[in-house]
Structures are given as C-alpha cells and as structure tokens.
C-alpha cells in the first residue's frame, strides 16, 4: 500500500541514505517502466546516480526532466547541467536521448522555452518522482529564498550565497553564471512523489527549517510540508538539528514489513 505523508529517514552515512533513495527509484522503474523522473544535479545526487547505474535498470521507456540549467552555458560546456547529467547518468544507462529533457540555457526566448518545458511535462502525464537536493539556504531547484511558492518554470537570479556555494564547480566565483532557468516551486509540487536528499552538517539548518519550521518562502523547501508524499533521506549530519530526530528514527525502525522500502 502506498503511504501518503512526509517521511523522514535518517541513516548514519550518505551511502546508506542514498541506497534507500536508489531502492525507491528502482521500485518505481520496475513497477512503471515508462515512469517520468524529475532529476537534480550538484554533489548530492552523485552517489545516487552511481548506485542507479550499478543496478542496471531498464531506462528504455523512462522520461526525465531536470530541475534547472545555467543561462548562457551551452550543452557542451563542462559545467552545464547537460554535461553533468550525461557524464554522471545518461551515458551509463539505456535511456534514449529523446526522452531526456533539460532546460536550454542558450535559448533566445526564455519565456517560450519555460512555457514549452511546462507543457512537455504535462504532455507526458506529469512527473512521477522528483529527486531534490537542498541549498544551504533551503532552495530547491534554483528557487531561491522569497521565490513564489506557486512559481512555474522561469528565469531566476542566483543569490551571492548560492554562487559562492557553487564556485567549487567553476574554479572561481566570478565564473558562476548569475542566471538560471529553473522549474518553479509549483512545478515541483505537482510531482506525485518528492524525494529530498541531504548529507553533511552544512545542510542541517536548512533541513531543520524545511521539515520542522514554518512554511515560508525564506526556506523554499519548507513548502514540501504541503505536499502529500515526500520522502526525506538524510545522513546523520544533515539531520543533526532536527528536534524530533529520535522520533523519526524510531518510526523508521518500527515500520511494519508491508511498509518497508
Ligand atoms: C541542482 C539543484 C539545486 C541543488 C542544491 C544543492 O539541480 O536543483 O537545488 O540540489 O543547490 O546542491 P549540492 O547537492 O551541490 O549541495
């Protein structure tokens, strides 16, 4: 039976938390070979993609939509999210290129590109499962603080903090683009299942606010509290500021067999 709730899963390590997330995705692809996945980039999902590749799942009928892309980076740029996704996942699984969707950072018409991205998601029946990381300020996708909680795919300006956080990929902060195209918070909320991953102490505050704080655009991930089906897979560091962490651990340990992942 399917569970509709926010489930917080705390594991000792990023590897253990990732392995649960990978099993959730594997289950979905086995049950629904033509599933539609929403995917994220950044450091967090790297282990997940590695594990999914190792599982040798069948991706022939899977369709994917990535959350975001930098404006001004062409697909071949080493730091584009196109390059990231092909290098870290798509080249290693049997997904047809036509099933892969990533916003075009080089489009001449950003509003039209965003609208057609939304239309394409609708046309395939919506996203079954959306993988999410979280920024140190609580952003999901590149919906920075104070983003509209009803926003759709659009252009956003990155905050200085996010540009600083992402400078590690570019070698210097000056090289990090200022603008991105990102799915909106409303777009993310439309996914039938959201799977949020976070590891490391640097994410602890954002996670505590997202899960236990008020719903506020100052922590965009907190809007997931309004979503009917969210799984939050955390390594202990990222869970360290959760007030109810012992309760979440207890709930997970007591799961009846029929609910086990
Ligand atoms: C990336 C994305 C971002 C990242 C977030 C965390 O597609 O949507 O929200 O998930 O910035 O990044 P990492 O995982 O690098 O800490």
């Amino acid at each position: 039976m399917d569970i509709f709730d926010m489930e917080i899963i705390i594991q000792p390590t990023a590897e253990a938390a990732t392995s649960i997330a990978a099993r959730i995705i594997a289950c979905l692809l086995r049950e629904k070979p033509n599933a539609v996945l929403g995917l994220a980039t950044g450091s967090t999902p790297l282990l997940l993609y590695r594990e999914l590749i190792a599982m040798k799942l069948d991706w022939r009928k899977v369709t994917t939509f990535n959350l975001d892309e930098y404006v001004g980076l062409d697909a071949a740029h080493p730091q584009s999210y196109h390059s990231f996704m092909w290098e870290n996942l798509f080249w290693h699984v049997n997904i047809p290129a036509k099933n892969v969707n990533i916003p075009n950072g080089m489009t001449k018409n950003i509003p039209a590109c965003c609208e057609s991205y939304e239309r394409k998601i609708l046309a395939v029946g919506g996203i079954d499962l959306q993988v999410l990381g979280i920024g140190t300020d609580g952003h999901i996708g590149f919906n920075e603080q104070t983003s509209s909680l009803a926003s759709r795919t659009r252009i956003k300006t990155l905050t200085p903090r996010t540009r600083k956080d992402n400078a590690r990929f570019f070698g210097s902060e000056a090289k990090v683009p200022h603008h991105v195209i990102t799915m909106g918070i409303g777009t993310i909320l439309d996914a039938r299942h959201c799977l949020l991953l976070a590891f490391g102490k640097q994410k602890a505050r954002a996670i505590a606010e997202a899960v236990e704080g008020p719903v506020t655009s100052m922590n965009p991930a907190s809007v997931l509290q309004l979503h009917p089906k969210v799984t939050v897979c955390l390594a202990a560091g990222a869970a360290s500021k959760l007030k109810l962490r012992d309760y979440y651990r207890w709930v997970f340990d007591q799961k009846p067999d029929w609910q086990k992942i």
Side-chain angles (χ1 to χ4, degrees):
M1 198 176 102
D2 221 354
I3 306 299
F4 286 83
D5 205 341
M6 179 181 267
E7 183 174 23
I8 317 294
I9 301 174
I10 305 173
Q11 294 290 298
T13 60
E15 286 74 14
T18 293
S19 154
I20 290 177
R23 290 211 300 275
I24 292 172
I25 296 175
C27 253
L28 172 66
L29 299 201
R30 284 184 192 122
E31 267 168 28
K32 188 175 178 188
N34 63 344
V36 180
L37 294 181
L39 298 175
T41 57
S43 311
T44 307
L46 279 172
L47 277 173
L48 175 69
Y49 297 153
R50 219 173 293 157
E51 191 149 336
L52 289 173
I53 293 164
M55 285 173 151
K56 301 207 177 305
L57 301 162
D58 188 356
W59 292 71
R60 270 173 310 168
K61 293 184 181 158
V62 175
T63 300
T64 64
F65 286 88
N66 263 81
L67 283 165
D68 37 29
E69 178 58 287
Y70 290 108
V71 170
L73 298 196
D74 67 49
H77 188 286
Q79 299 313 328
S80 77
Y81 286 164
H82 280 76
S83 298
F84 177 100
M85 287 309 302
W86 282 95
E87 272 162 29
N88 292 298
L89 180 65
F90 299 142
W91 274 331
H92 312 282
V93 295
N94 61 346
I95 190 165
K98 67 175 175 39
N99 293 9
V100 169
N101 298 279
I102 304 174
N104 174 7
M106 293 301 281
T107 179
K108 295 264 176 311
N109 187 341
I110 290 178
C113 167
C114 296
E115 241 185 271
S116 94
Y117 205 65
E118 290 276 337
R119 268 202 310 273
K120 235 174 160 180
I121 294 174
L122 275 182
V124 295
I127 292 173
D128 290 300
L129 181 142
Q130 176 66 57
V131 175
L132 296 166
I134 185 170
T136 52
D137 57 3
H139 69 240
I140 46 175
F142 274 130
N143 295 285
E144 298 282 31
Q145 289 178 305
T146 72
S147 286
S148 156
L149 299 184
S151 50
R152 312 300 308 185
T153 303
R154 70 211 182 292
I155 186 169
K156 278 298 279 185
T157 306
L158 295 178
T159 61
R161 183 166 170 186
T162 300
R163 291 187 64 247
K164 201 180 213 136
D165 282 349
N166 286 5
R168 67 191 192 280
F169 298 113
F170 287 84
S172 88
E173 204 177 317
K175 291 189 184 145
V176 183
H178 285 265
H179 295 102
V180 290
I181 294 176
T182 179
M183 275 187 205
I185 296 180
T187 322
I188 293 170
L189 286 179
D190 283 349
R192 285 182 274 282
H193 183 180
C194 290
L195 179 57
L196 173 65
L197 288 103
F199 320 130
K201 276 206 168 103
Q202 74 281 8
K203 300 290 173 73
R205 197 175 55 86
I207 284 292
E209 287 173 2
V211 172
E212 296 177 338
V215 174
T216 166
S217 63
M218 285 303 283
N219 179 314
S222 64
V223 77
L224 294 171
Q225 295 174 34
L226 298 174
H227 191 285
K229 188 174 180 186
V230 182
T231 308
V232 184
C233 291
L234 302 173
S240 58
K241 288 194 159 60
L242 286 167
K243 291 194 192 85
L244 301 187
R245 58 186 183 279
D246 292 340
Y247 168 68
Y248 307 133
R249 283 198 173 100
W250 188 86
V251 171
F252 188 70
D253 291 344
Q254 305 307 312
K255 254 166 133 47
D257 277 347
W258 59 270
Q259 268 191 1
K260 290 215 163 109
I261 296 163

